[in-house]
Structures are given as C-alpha cells and as structure tokens.
Amino acid sequence: MNIEAMAARIWEAARELGLEPHPVSFEVVPHHVLYEVAAYGLPNHFQHWTYGRNYWLQKQQYEHGLAKIYELAINSDPVLAYILQNNSDVQKAFVMAHVMGHSHVFKCNGYWQETRKDMPQYMSAASTRFAEYEQVYGALAVERLIDRGLSLQFHVADEHHEPVPEPRAARIRTEFDDLLDLGRRAEVSPTQEKTAKPRHRVPPGRPNRLAAPTEDVLGYIIRYSPVLMDWERDILTVIREEGIYLAPYYRTKLLHEGFAVWTHQKILSMLGLTHQEQLEAAVTHAGVAVPHPLGINPYYLGWKILEKVEERYGRDEVIRIAGEEGDASLVRNYLDEAMVEEFDLYRWVRREEGGRPNRDLVWVVETTGWREVRDWLANRYARAPFPRIEVVDVDDQRGDLVLWQVGDENMDRRYAAETLKYCVDLWGGDVKLSCNLDGRREVMWRQAARS
Amino acid sequence: MNTVGLKTDIYDIQQKGNRDQQRHLEKIKGAVKENLKELVANENIISSDGKKTVVVPVRYLDEYRFRYDPKIDGGEGAGQGRGKSQKGDVITRRPAAGDGKGAPGEDHQDFEYLVEIDVETLAGYLFEELSLPNLDLTKKSIIVNEDERFGDRRKKGPLANLDKRATLKEAVKRRGTAPDAVFIDNADLRFRAWREEEKEVSNAVIFLLRDISGSMGEEERFLTRAVAFWIVLFLRKRYDRADIVFINYDTEAFEVDEDRFFHEGMGGGTRCRSALELTRAIIENRYPLSLWNIYGLQFSDGEDFDPEGAAAFLDTVLPWFQMFGYVEIEPEGNRGLWNSKLSAVYAGRGSFQRYGRAARITHSRDVWPAVKTLMGPEVTTG
C-alpha cells in the first residue's frame, strides 16, 4: 500500500471508530526538521535562544540514542503532523493512526476547542514582524524583550473569560483632592507619581483592591504599562497568545497521549496488516507504552485506564471522555482499586540512608493504597505547573504593581527575584510580590531605577 | 485537504534552529565568565599544558520564571512497577552527590553542559576580573631581531639579490629628467636585503620553590599546580619573554624540570634557606637585575628547621623581586596563616612586608582568593 492510500484508509478507520478529528496535513520530513519543529513548538516560530537550546539538547539526545520523537502533532485546523522520512511504512502508519487520536482531542475536547486554530499562520506572520523589529531596534533589544515576555508566558488568561480590570484611578491625598481630581482622574498613569517616598508596607492579608484580581499578569502589563512601545506590545501580545494556546497541554497530557495510544491500537487492528507488519507495529507500541518506576508515563497509564473504561462501559464512553475530561478528572473519576492494583501503581518517597560520606538516596514505595495513590495523582494533575500569580492591586500613589501568589506552595526565591526584575522592566515601576518562600509568606519588592 | 493530506518537500536548507543554537552557545560562553571562581581550580584547565582549548562544565542556562521551590519536587512521586509492588520496596538507590536533589533524569536542575573554550579567552576573563595593575615593564633587554621579510633594499649587494623592478624604477626616475642618459646606470642598482630591526623585549623570570618534605600529598600537589598555573600564565601574557625556574628543596635545594617539580616527594626535614640561596645564585649567574623582572612563589607547609636563618637570608634577596609570594598549603586547615613557623617569621620581616604577599590554601575554593591576593591590584611594583 502506498503511503497516501494508507493515509486515506487511516482517516476512514478513524471515522468508523467514531472519531471526529480535525483534518490532518501530514508532512514527511528528515529528522532535523522534526527536531526543530519539536523544539520550537510550531513551524516558523519566532527566534529565541531558549528554543536553540532545546533544539540542541534534543538533537544530542537523538544522536546518542537516548530519546526519540515518534510523532509531532500541532493543534490547528487542519492539524499539522510530522512523520520521520526514514521510518518504515508500518511505523508511518502507526504515527498516522496515533495522530488521529490527538486530532480528535484537539477538535472535540473542551480544553482545546477555544484555542486558536490559526496559530501556525499567526505565528508565522509574527515571526516575520519580529525579524523586522530586529532590523530596526537591534537583535539584542528584541532578545531582551522576549526574555522578559517568556518569563510571564504562562501567567496569562484568555480575556474573553476573565476581563482584565482597569487600574484604579490615581488618588492624590490632599485637602484639595476633589479639585485636583476634576477632569483628570482617569488620565493619571500608574507610574506618574514615582517620586513619592516608597512605602514599605503591603496591606496585611490578601489585598483585593482591584475590582477583580486577574491571573492575566502579562495581559495587564501589556495593556497598562506606560513604558512599552508599540513594537514591544506586539511582541508581548504574541507571547501571550501563545501562552494561552499552549495552556491546555498541562491539563490533558495523560488524556491526550492515552487516547492517542488507544486510537492507534484500534486503527491498526482495522487495517488488515500482515503478521509481519503486526509484529513491527507491536514492537513500536511496546517502545512507547512502558511503565516508568519513578514517574507516570502518560502514554501507558492513560491508555491502560481507557482500555479498562472500554471493557466496562463500551467504546462510546472512551470517546466521550476524550471530549470532556481532563487529566485530573480522568484519574478522579475512573481510576479505581482494581486498576491501581493491576497497573501496580504506587506512591514513592525519597529517603536518605547512611551518614557522610557514604550517604545514599533511596527511592522507596510508600504506599500502594489505591485511594492515596489516586488522590495524590489527581491532585498532582490538578495543580498548576507554575505557581499561580495574580495582579491584585496597582498602588495608588506611585503605580506600583502588586502581585499575589495564590496558594501556599513555596516558590524558588532566586527565580522569583530575577523574574521580578523582568516585571519591573516591563512595568516601568516598582513591582511587589507576596509569595511563599521557605515556608513563610513574604513580600518581595523590586524597585525600578529612579531617574 | 478536507480529510487528510500528505506532503513531502525538500528540506535542504536548515533554518532557524542553527542560529538560535549559536546564540545559545554564545550565552553559555558568557556564563563561563560567571563561573570563573569555580573554574580556576578546574583540573582540566590546570593540566591543559600546551593545549589550546579545554572542556569545562557550565550550568544549564535556564530562563527565569516563577516556579515552585525545586526542593519540593523530587521528594515524592507516583510510579508504576512491573507487578506486586509492596510498601517498603526499594525502587532504586544511588549515592547522594552534592546536595542530592532530584530524581534521576527528572529535571534540568543540576544539569551541566560541557563546553569547549580556549585557555586564552578564559585567562582574558580572569585577568579582567582581577583588574591587574600595569606591572613594571621598564627592565628591558634589547635584541637584534631579523625580520622574516626579505624586504629591505640597499645600493650594494650580491648580484644574485638584484631587485630588477626597483632598479628599473630608479632608472626611469633618473631618465625622466635626462631623457638621453644611459639606460641603466650603476647608481640605479638596488639589491634586496634582510631587514634588521632592533626590538625591546620585556623579560621576567619566575622562581617556583616547593617544599618536597613529607607532607605534600596528591591534593596539595594539585593546589600548588593550580596557583602556579594562573600566575605563570599571567606573567607569560604580560612579558614578551618569561622564564620559569623550578626549585625543589628539603634540607637542600635543586633546580629541577617541571615534571619533577610537581611530583617529587621526600621524607625528612626542611630548610628553606637552601632554596633561597640557590635562587640568589641563579639570579646572580643568569638573570642580571637590570634586564630581568624577578618573581617568586614559594609553596610550603610552613614547617622549617631554621626559619630565622631563612628569614634573615630573605632580607638580602627580597628587594630584587617585583613580587615574592608565599603560599602555605595546609590541607587540614586548622591553623591560621601566620601561625606556622615559617609564616610567623616571614610576617615579622620588613622586607617581606614590603615585597611579599602571602596566601594560605586548604581547599580548591581557596585557589581564587589566593591568586587574587598574590596578583591583585594592591601589588605595586618594587
């Protein structure tokens, strides 16, 4: 069977299975192209050294045979999928079948439905503009800005759902307040009153002085920072759009990969492969779906759960799950005692044994109790991959940006301090962050350079 | 395209990956600068004799962002066995390295790149960091240097070296004023000749003195080497010509080659006066003070049979030195610098206070401060 006919046949099979995927545009590429797209996340992505680093690391892993990328599917309409040139026909069929599962989740899953489906085009146009900015403003200026933007890339929210609140009008505390306020209340920019004495105090408890706090930190800065130029706003806006576009990945990793494995298993059984081909497909499958003793392989666990669901409730339930659940709810709703035992899931802890200088780190099974394991996993999947940060206030007098960490998990102090410097650059004024450091709530305050 | 499409293309031209990869590498090299303090005692560099490039570790370059405290992660997790796992089963174990964070392959936390960098560049960073003063370059010798170029022209010379082009030019010039004159006159002849050039060369000689009595082990040898490496490198960079004289001593002193200098070891007593006497003799015989800048570095464990005698002798030679560094290598590190026999006596001498520098090393992290003390900006020239 030639590969185009195979692609058509696989599409048919996906439809027969009951899937409703986005159309898929497959591209057969040499490995350096695949690794490049994987490192950047999109073809024609804007340039930045962090992607160069990822590309380099991935290439090295590939060259040393440590890690291999089998498939790469990009959320858009149509879905863009990449296949390695030097894979065998069976491996290509395997990847195509697998991608049908991803495409279905991209199209039907609630987390994914509202993401930009024109992201590749949007990003491609943006990267052309960025290259022009490099010509005009210098590559270093563009790089510095992207450094700062990327540090806040996941502190974004889709404005359609959480409108960004306006900053409170600046208030001047004198007896002539009302007179001074006449006609200018709304125009005072947040940083105009920079010369006032710093106030080393942040309100106790959770300051909640914006009408509604927002997690769209980057969006808020883009909208209200008085120091950004238009081209800078453009770059930051693109970074923010990408952040919103990528966010569902963290919510649906287990589901996505599990469902894709489930789909390729189903579709491959429908293609009428010869014994030889079936064997090759099984070997490829076994290379992907293996349990990990110190972590969760989403391909394996996700697939195993869905397989059990199908056994009990039928195929339609699996397809419904692909459309409606996320990782946390999949685990919470479906992982039960029998599965935990059969899949041999456990929770481990790391201990230290022995004294100096022969200290050992030992990883030990702490519990195989199904409720503990399930709850731990569900909580882990529900947890945001980054600390959640909100804009809660803009200081009246000087326009300081006040940020608040939601929740009580400790943050990395050095990273927080450096990121805060970036925020100061973008905001053009002081930034304060109330967050958990070494088990205590502290306020970190970074001051802008005063001229 | 409504359902499923397939395209293949030609991908000969690699695109942005390479540029960003280059930029990343540039940034890594920049990061080397920030790691200098750790790198000065890096074994690969110290033992890089003659090699142009060395491979050094650089911490993973991360982009800053708000993230959880890495100490939280890695301490617990979920996993999947191959069946019948029980509470208390040991999944894996490994020796705790460093601060022992992170599960194997878990994060980039402690990840390091190995980066190739040339020693010259590294030394440049280092000396920049030390903000070293202009040392005295006034003592210079003059040598006659024959330029490689066979470029000079003269009116006399062997016919074989006749420069025909230059000769014709001369003839044309002459006939320009007198058109009827001879085609080529003897006065037109030009011969090629070696260019002779006088050049001033700044000279330095570095005396490395090492106490080889008992207590110098592998670790101490390495520390000696690290300190000597940077100082020699620095002086070689500053002076056109730098000689190194290696002297080992116990109760007697010997001039040795580099290999023996670092590796020789003996039991028994120490009399550092012997090394100072030999140093003096070598200077008198080979390194006239009018032409040579003299530097000295003494490595010792601080023990000596005759510290007073050494110190008294020191007074006679020390004024010849631009800088004389006394480096006490003491692995246990439980004694203060000026508490050893030798250092206490040195410290009391006016000549040492004027021309000497002292540093103490117990650990590789002391190498940087030691180099800084010995070569730092407060060194004024003698």
Side-chain angles (χ1 to χ4, degrees):
Chain A
M1 202 188 301
N2 81 18
I3 184 155
E4 264 162 83
M6 192 150 69
R9 175 74 194 94
I10 286 169
W11 174 263
E12 290 303 318
R15 301 285 298 153
E16 280 166 42
L17 198 59
L19 267 49
E20 288 177 47
H22 282 305
V24 182
S25 168
F26 287 106
E27 236 176 292
V28 180
V29 298
H31 79 260
H32 70 83
V33 174
L34 182 78
Y35 281 83
E36 196 175 290
V37 178
Y40 286 79
L42 286 165
N44 302 318
H45 195 279
F46 64 79
Q47 306 209 236
H48 189 250
W49 63 268
T50 50
Y51 305 110
R53 174 198 62 203
N54 298 349
Y55 176 53
W56 186 56
L57 291 174
Q58 271 175 1
K59 252 193 336 186
Q60 281 191 329
Q61 291 207 317
Y62 171 80
E63 280 158 14
H64 297 137
L66 293 173
K68 198 175 162 191
I69 300 177
Y70 283 93
E71 43 95 16
L72 181 62
I74 286 168
N75 170 34
S76 69
D77 188 3
V79 163
L80 306 180
Y82 295 83
I83 300 176
L84 269 184
Q85 224 167 41
N86 50 0
N87 275 357
S88 71
D89 281 357
V90 173
Q91 282 173 325
K92 283 176 184 151
F94 181 95
V95 169
M96 286 174 170
H98 187 86
V99 167
M100 290 302 156
H102 284 310
S103 184
H104 175 82
V105 175
F106 285 143
K107 179 158 181 199
C108 302
N109 188 281
Y111 284 101
W112 292 93
Q113 269 172 343
E114 294 197 26
T115 52
R116 291 191 79 120
K117 298 297 179 180
D118 63 344
M119 199 60 191
Q121 295 88 323
Y122 175 83
M123 185 54 85
S124 175
S127 75
T128 311
R129 291 198 304 281
F130 287 18
E132 284 166 19
Y133 297 149
E134 284 188 2
Q135 297 294 318
V136 179
Y137 304 103
L140 207 61
V142 172
E143 181 186 290
R144 278 171 52 85
L145 185 69
I146 296 175
D147 282 342
R148 281 151 185 73
L150 287 179
S151 75
L152 294 173
Q153 183 167 41
F154 296 105
H155 299 281
V156 294
D158 195 334
E159 266 184 275
H160 299 297
H161 303 298
E162 293 171 49
V164 178
E166 301 286 331
R168 286 158 56 96
R171 189 181 301 141
I172 297 146
R173 297 201 179 279
T174 71
E175 50 189 303
F176 306 114
D177 243 27
D178 47 350
L179 280 176
L180 290 167
D181 271 2
L182 283 175
R184 56 171 280 187
R185 215 183 167 96
E187 281 92 50
V188 179
S189 90
T191 51
Q192 270 181 10
E193 301 284 333
K194 272 190 184 170
T195 46
K197 271 200 164 177
R199 300 184 314 182
H200 291 265
R201 192 178 62 82
V202 156
R206 173 188 167 117
N208 191 13
R209 295 166 62 197
L210 287 184
T214 176
E215 287 192 51
D216 193 6
V217 180
L218 187 57
Y220 193 85
I221 288 173
I222 293 170
R223 191 127 148 210
Y224 297 112
S225 165
V227 296
L228 294 175
M229 302 207 281
D230 283 350
W231 67 273
E232 294 175 312
R233 284 206 158 78
D234 182 24
I235 288 179
L236 295 176
T237 302
V238 171
I239 291 173
R240 176 175 172 272
E241 282 291 334
E242 194 189 19
I244 293 170
Y245 165 84
L246 293 174
Y249 274 104
Y250 306 121
R251 302 270 163 233
T252 56
K253 185 90 181 134
L254 183 71
L255 178 86
H256 233 305
E257 298 303 353
F259 186 70
V261 171
W262 181 84
T263 304
H264 79 229
Q265 288 294 76
K266 288 279 165 219
I267 290 178
L268 288 172
S269 71
M270 296 160 76
L271 293 182
L273 301 177
T274 65
H275 281 301
Q276 191 58 40
E277 288 167 341
Q278 277 175 10
L279 187 66
E280 195 185 340
V283 168
T284 310
H285 171 81
V288 178
V290 283
H292 188 302
L294 286 179
I296 296 299
N297 177 352
Y299 292 83
Y300 186 68
L301 184 63
W303 166 58
K304 284 304 224 182
I305 294 175
L306 292 175
E307 224 183 25
K308 286 284 164 202
V309 168
E310 188 186 3
E311 257 173 52
R312 276 182 223 167
Y313 312 106
R315 181 187 294 176
D316 289 350
E317 182 68 358
V318 174
I319 293 172
R320 189 198 64 74
I321 288 173
E324 293 176 12
E325 308 278 358
D327 291 350
S329 65
L330 176 64
V331 168
R332 174 81 57 208
N333 296 339
Y334 292 95
L335 191 67
D336 63 12
E337 189 171 4
M339 289 193 214
V340 169
E341 197 188 327
E342 188 185 329
F343 304 158
D344 197 21
L345 286 166
Y346 48 74
R347 200 164 81 76
W348 54 259
V349 289
R350 191 187 60 207
R351 293 201 197 119
E352 282 181 19
E353 276 180 15
R356 285 171 174 280
N358 300 318
R359 224 151 39 93
D360 267 354
L361 290 179
V362 184
W363 283 259
V364 181
V365 173
E366 167 146 279
T367 178
T368 53
W370 76 276
R371 279 181 197 279
E372 284 109 313
V373 173
R374 181 198 64 184
D375 290 350
W376 192 90
L377 271 177
N379 289 339
R380 190 41 70 120
Y381 284 124
R383 173 206 203 215
F386 300 99
R388 290 172 57 203
I389 309 283
E390 288 179 339
V391 180
V392 288
D393 194 13
V394 173
D395 186 291
D396 288 347
Q397 295 209 344
R398 304 186 315 125
D400 297 352
L401 187 69
V402 184
L403 305 177
W404 176 269
Q405 182 200 353
V406 181
D408 53 9
E409 282 194 84
N410 282 342
M411 284 175 57
D412 184 318
R413 184 185 291 273
R414 189 169 69 92
Y415 274 57
E418 295 295 331
T419 310
L420 226 49
K421 277 190 210 163
Y422 286 174
C423 294
V424 167
D425 293 343
L426 295 177
W427 182 247
D430 291 9
V431 181
K432 295 165 188 163
L433 167 67
S434 163
C435 59
N436 303 296
L437 297 168
D438 305 318
R440 285 188 315 144
R441 191 147 278 260
E442 272 184 43
V443 176
M444 255 193 188
W445 182 354
R446 283 232 88 97
Q447 292 185 294
R450 311 252 178 255
S451 45
Chain B
M1 269 298 283
N2 277 336
T3 53
V4 53
L6 183 77
K7 70 176 186 175
T8 50
D9 223 322
I10 297 163
Y11 298 94
D12 280 346
I13 307 150
Q14 196 156 352
Q15 319 130 16
K16 44 194 63 174
N18 276 352
R19 188 193 111 171
D20 288 337
Q21 190 181 326
Q22 281 311 316
R23 177 67 187 127
H24 173 233
L25 286 176
E26 262 172 49
K27 287 185 82 88
I28 291 180
K29 295 204 169 155
V32 169
K33 238 171 163 169
E34 288 154 27
N35 284 353
L36 276 178
K37 283 181 193 150
E38 290 147 44
L39 290 178
V40 285
N42 181 290
E43 192 140 13
N44 283 337
I45 301 171
I46 307 307
S47 48
S48 69
D49 316 296
K51 270 183 246 148
K52 289 226 161 61
T53 61
V54 288
V55 174
V56 297
V58 180
R59 216 182 16 245
Y60 175 81
L61 284 185
D62 206 355
E63 62 271 38
Y64 290 115
R65 59 195 186 276
F66 293 122
R67 65 171 201 182
Y68 296 116
D69 187 339
K71 287 197 283 291
I72 308 175
D73 291 324
E76 57 171 14
Q80 221 174 338
R82 299 263 179 188
K84 303 269 175 261
S85 292
Q86 295 292 319
K87 180 179 162 70
D89 285 358
V90 171
I91 305 160
T92 182
R93 73 163 63 220
R94 67 159 195 215
D99 54 0
K101 281 184 301 193
E106 177 183 59
D107 198 3
H108 292 305
Q109 218 61 49
D110 297 321
F111 180 83
E112 283 181 338
Y113 306 115
L114 292 176
V115 180
E116 201 175 345
I117 187 163
D118 57 307
V119 180
E120 279 282 296
T121 312
L122 204 60
Y125 291 156
L126 188 83
F127 300 144
E128 198 177 292
E129 179 82 1
L130 285 173
S131 60
L132 291 158
N134 281 323
L135 296 184
D136 185 9
L137 300 176
T138 52
K139 293 178 182 172
K140 287 173 178 162
S141 57
I142 291 176
I143 59 165
V144 172
N145 193 8
E146 280 195 345
D147 197 295
E148 294 147 13
R149 255 166 20 112
F150 189 48
D152 217 18
R153 291 188 183 80
R154 297 194 198 149
K155 293 189 173 179
K156 294 246 157 52
L159 207 58
N161 288 353
L162 182 71
D163 184 338
K164 292 176 191 140
R165 182 188 295 259
T167 304
L168 280 172
K169 261 190 195 162
E170 290 300 321
V172 168
K173 269 197 271 181
R174 181 175 47 76
R175 281 184 287 122
T177 53
D180 299 329
V182 220
F183 187 68
I184 291 180
D185 193 61
N186 270 344
D188 298 333
L189 297 181
R190 291 292 181 277
F191 300 89
R192 289 175 198 260
W194 294 102
R195 180 188 300 252
E196 273 184 8
E197 202 174 61
E198 286 183 346
K199 198 177 158 197
E200 285 193 328
V201 177
S202 55
N203 307 307
V205 57
I206 310 149
F207 286 89
L208 297 179
L209 319 176
R210 188 168 83 82
D211 174 2
I212 55 166
S213 72
S215 52
M216 296 281 261
E218 198 52 49
E219 172 78 7
E220 296 80 56
R221 244 195 290 282
F222 174 71
L223 295 175
T224 307
R225 210 183 170 96
V227 173
F229 176 85
W230 291 110
I231 287 174
V232 167
L233 190 64
F234 172 69
L235 294 172
R236 279 200 170 136
K237 252 181 123 73
R238 294 294 307 181
Y239 291 95
D240 298 318
R241 189 166 146 202
D243 283 9
I244 308 174
V245 177
F246 297 98
I247 294 175
N248 282 352
Y249 67 93
D250 43 25
T251 51
E252 277 179 88
F254 305 93
E255 187 175 353
V256 295
D257 62 18
E258 181 171 349
D259 192 52
R260 267 181 73 194
F261 178 77
F262 285 110
H263 291 100
E264 200 164 47
M266 283 289 173
T270 315
R271 221 165 53 88
C272 102
R273 182 182 169 130
S274 63
L276 296 172
E277 279 168 354
L278 180 59
T279 301
R280 182 185 172 136
I282 292 173
I283 293 173
E284 280 169 348
N285 288 333
R286 310 210 303 246
Y287 298 103
L289 295 175
S290 58
L291 300 180
W292 291 85
N293 297 283
I294 316 249
Y295 291 84
L297 273 184
Q298 180 182 5
F299 297 93
S300 161
D301 61 0
E303 292 301 321
D304 204 271
F305 281 179
D306 179 20
E308 288 300 334
F313 193 81
L314 198 63
D315 283 346
T316 68
V317 286
L318 224 47
W320 297 351
F321 282 81
Q322 302 291 112
M323 191 278 294
F324 182 86
Y326 171 75
V327 184
E328 197 159 291
I329 309 259
E330 198 220 347
E332 280 82 29
N334 47 15
R335 190 175 61 197
L337 172 58
W338 304 112
N339 291 331
S340 71
K341 285 182 196 156
L342 199 56
S343 64
V345 174
Y346 274 13
R349 288 283 162 172
S351 66
F352 190 80
Q353 285 160 10
R354 173 131 193 241
Y355 303 103
R357 288 293 180 103
R360 186 163 142 274
I361 298 181
T362 59
H363 186 270
S364 62
R365 68 174 164 264
D366 300 327
V367 171
W368 170 259
V371 172
K372 219 167 168 163
T373 308
L374 295 170
M375 305 302 288
E378 48 299 22
V379 174
T380 46
T381 53

